[in-house]
């Protein structure tokens, strides 16, 4: 089963064992529905903890686990990733995608020249930028309809307009 990261435990909160979680998903409301959270170091799941309460606090979620009732035990959970089964994510519309679905796609320009492989993305305020690894360098391109022309999930390829391509060496 594949899991994706939906949050990161940043620190403990208070004295009673709550942890502060930064959601890294477009569906943070998932935290309010889960009874058990899978915790991982990097991507390897190492613990499953039963949730006793969840509440939102600014951009974070404060989560209390069963049998964790003190700050010292809660502090030990800092840095764990919270994972969620990929097959249980909400279904998306045809033209929407999850990042893990397109990572590694081959990137081509409009003339069908290979540009590189989609390696990562960066949130840059209101726009996300794709990071593309070519043979010898990295490029960034803004993910907007003028620069990213097509994301073909069936053939695992992306077509871009080279006008939006920026070398990271600049």
């Amino acid at each position: 089963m594949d899991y994706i990261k939906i949050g990161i435990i940043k620190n403990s909160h208070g004295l009673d064992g709550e942890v502060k979680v930064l959601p890294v998903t477009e569906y943070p409301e998932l935290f309010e529905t889960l009874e058990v959270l899978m915790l991982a170091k990097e991507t390897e799941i190492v613990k499953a903890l039963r949730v006793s309460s969840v509440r939102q606090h600014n951009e974070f979620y404060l989560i209390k686990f069963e049998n964790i009732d003190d700050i010292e035990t809660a502090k030990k959970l800092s840095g764990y990733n919270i994972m969620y089964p990929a097959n249980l994510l909400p279904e998306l519309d045809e033209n929407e995608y999850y990042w893990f679905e397109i990572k590694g796609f081959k990137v081509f320009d409009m003339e069908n020249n290979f540009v590189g492989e989609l390696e990562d993305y960066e949130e840059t305020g209101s726009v996300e930028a794709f990071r593309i690894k070519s043979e010898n360098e990295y490029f960034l391109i803004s993910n907007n309809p003028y620069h990213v022309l097509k994301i073909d999930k069936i053939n695992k390829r992306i077509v871009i307009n080279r006008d939006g391509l920026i070398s990271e060496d600049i």
Side-chain angles (χ1 to χ4, degrees):
M1 179 180 293
D2 292 331
Y3 290 89
I4 64 160
K5 182 169 66 175
I6 62 168
I8 304 165
I9 297 176
K10 299 304 280 185
N11 206 342
S12 61
H13 180 81
L15 301 174
D16 299 327
E18 273 187 320
V19 294
K20 187 188 299 185
V21 173
L22 176 66
V24 293
T25 172
E26 291 185 26
Y27 300 97
E29 62 274 7
L30 284 173
F31 289 103
E32 298 173 18
T33 65
L34 300 175
E35 296 177 7
V36 174
L37 293 182
M38 309 298 282
L39 305 186
K41 284 291 185 189
E42 297 298 326
T43 57
E44 181 183 351
I45 294 177
V46 294
K47 295 179 186 218
L49 297 174
R50 185 164 293 281
V51 175
S52 63
S53 68
V54 176
R55 60 190 172 110
Q56 193 168 3
H57 180 69
N58 300 320
E59 75 266 29
F60 296 96
Y61 278 87
L62 301 179
I63 297 177
K64 175 94 172 68
F65 296 107
E66 289 181 4
N67 302 319
I68 295 181
D69 300 317
D70 63 89
I71 187 171
E72 294 306 320
T73 306
K75 279 183 177 178
K76 292 177 183 173
L77 299 176
S78 295
Y80 278 94
N81 293 324
I82 297 176
M83 309 300 280
Y84 189 76
N87 64 335
L88 298 179
L89 287 169
E91 278 196 39
L92 300 176
D93 291 334
E94 184 178 328
N95 295 327
E96 295 179 318
Y97 53 85
Y98 289 107
W99 166 249
F100 72 90
E101 294 177 310
I102 64 169
K103 183 177 181 181
F105 276 20
K106 305 287 185 210
V107 179
F108 295 87
D109 66 14
M110 294 184 296
E111 286 78 37
N112 205 30
N113 297 310
F114 181 69
V115 176
E117 190 170 289
L118 184 60
E119 182 166 297
D120 202 356
Y121 77 99
E122 297 177 13
E123 295 287 341
T124 58
S126 61
V127 179
E128 94 182 344
F130 286 167
R131 187 168 191 242
I132 300 166
K133 180 181 180 185
S134 73
E135 189 173 325
N136 299 320
E137 62 184 318
Y138 288 92
F139 295 99
L140 293 174
I141 191 164
S142 176
N143 181 16
N144 67 56
Y146 303 106
H147 297 143
V148 177
L149 305 175
K150 184 177 182 181
I151 298 175
D152 181 351
K153 289 198 285 189
I154 294 171
N155 295 306
K156 299 183 178 194
R157 58 184 281 147
I158 296 172
V159 178
I160 64 163
N161 180 343
R162 277 191 179 267
D163 291 346
L165 207 56
I166 300 170
S167 172
E168 281 192 349
D169 294 336
I170 296 176

